[in-house]
Amino acid sequence: MDTWVETKQFPSHLLSAAGLVYKENKVLLIRSPRRGWEFPGGVIEQGEVITDGLKREIWEESGILAEPLALAGVNQNLALKKGYGPLEGMLLPPVVIFDFICVYVGGTETLSEESQEIGWFFPEEAVKLVQHPGYAERLRTMLRFSGTIKLAAYEKTAEAFRNYREIDLEQAPYSSSAEK
């Protein structure tokens, strides 16, 4: 029996979405007061469709309207982390992050509480600017996207980024009960 059934404690994960927005041959980055340069994204609200939340987060953080084209990666941050801002004093659950490749459809770069600067950068510039370990790894994955969704799991706390591992579905053994 699953542990959560025995303990009657439902597993809890936040859902988050982020987008690497392309405009011609450049990508959108925002400079966050907490993590430096990164691509926009954030937590999906209760009852919100993931792609709607993605578009909302990109708009709120940058003033840019974007349309998701492809899901490039699914990442699990397995660590619990301390809340910040209005969530200070809380312990936040692990996060499942959906990373999308997006295309610019409109809007004007607009600063917000979550973006101190906004810019469009060539991919090689973006790789140099994004220094946060989790975001840097996810950015490289999205820039290499060739149609195969990458899965990854890691533990990111304020102190460390550790145990990163990509899960390669193309090489995972598969068997179904229908084949037996």
Side-chain angles (χ1 to χ4, degrees):
M1 179 179 289
D2 290 337
T3 304
W4 70 267
V5 175
E6 292 175 9
T7 62
K8 301 205 180 345
Q9 293 180 345
F10 288 101
S12 178
H13 290 79
L14 292 175
L15 293 182
S16 181
L20 187 62
V21 181
Y22 282 87
K23 181 180 180 185
E24 298 171 6
N25 54 353
K26 293 185 176 182
V27 296
L28 176 68
L29 294 180
I30 63 168
R31 190 168 61 80
S32 159
R34 291 182 45 238
R35 291 178 294 263
W37 287 103
E38 63 188 26
F39 39 89
V43 174
I44 304 303
E45 295 176 1
Q46 186 73 34
E48 188 173 38
V49 174
I50 292 170
T51 52
D52 291 343
L54 167 68
K55 292 189 271 189
R56 176 187 50 76
E57 285 288 344
I58 293 169
W59 170 257
E60 288 176 358
E61 293 179 4
S62 69
I64 297 300
L65 297 169
E67 190 63 37
L69 298 178
L71 177 63
V74 178
N75 303 275
Q76 272 187 289
N77 181 352
L78 301 170
L80 297 173
K81 68 179 187 178
K82 293 177 184 175
Y84 53 90
L87 304 177
E88 194 165 331
M90 296 177 67
L91 194 58
L92 303 179
V95 182
V96 177
I97 309 159
F98 297 88
D99 287 333
F100 289 87
I101 304 298
C102 302
V103 64
Y104 168 86
V105 295
T108 303
E109 296 80 2
T110 306
L111 298 179
S112 74
E113 291 179 6
E114 298 179 81
S115 59
Q116 297 174 326
E117 287 183 71
I118 300 168
W120 296 95
F121 301 94
F122 291 108
E124 57 275 8
E125 295 172 309
V127 168
K128 292 176 185 172
L129 287 171
V130 176
Q131 298 296 308
H132 182 277
Y135 275 81
E137 191 63 46
R138 291 168 47 215
L139 173 63
R140 286 190 292 273
T141 296
M142 286 191 284
L143 289 171
R144 291 190 310 255
F145 179 68
S146 63
T148 300
I149 300 167
K150 292 293 181 183
L151 302 180
Y154 54 87
E155 295 174 49
K156 170 65 182 98
T157 63
E159 299 80 32
F161 178 76
R162 60 182 182 263
N163 299 328
Y164 179 86
R165 66 181 196 272
E166 281 191 5
I167 298 114
D168 189 349
L169 293 180
E170 294 175 334
Q171 296 179 8
Y174 174 77
S175 64
S176 73
S177 58
E179 293 176 0
K180 295 179 181 175

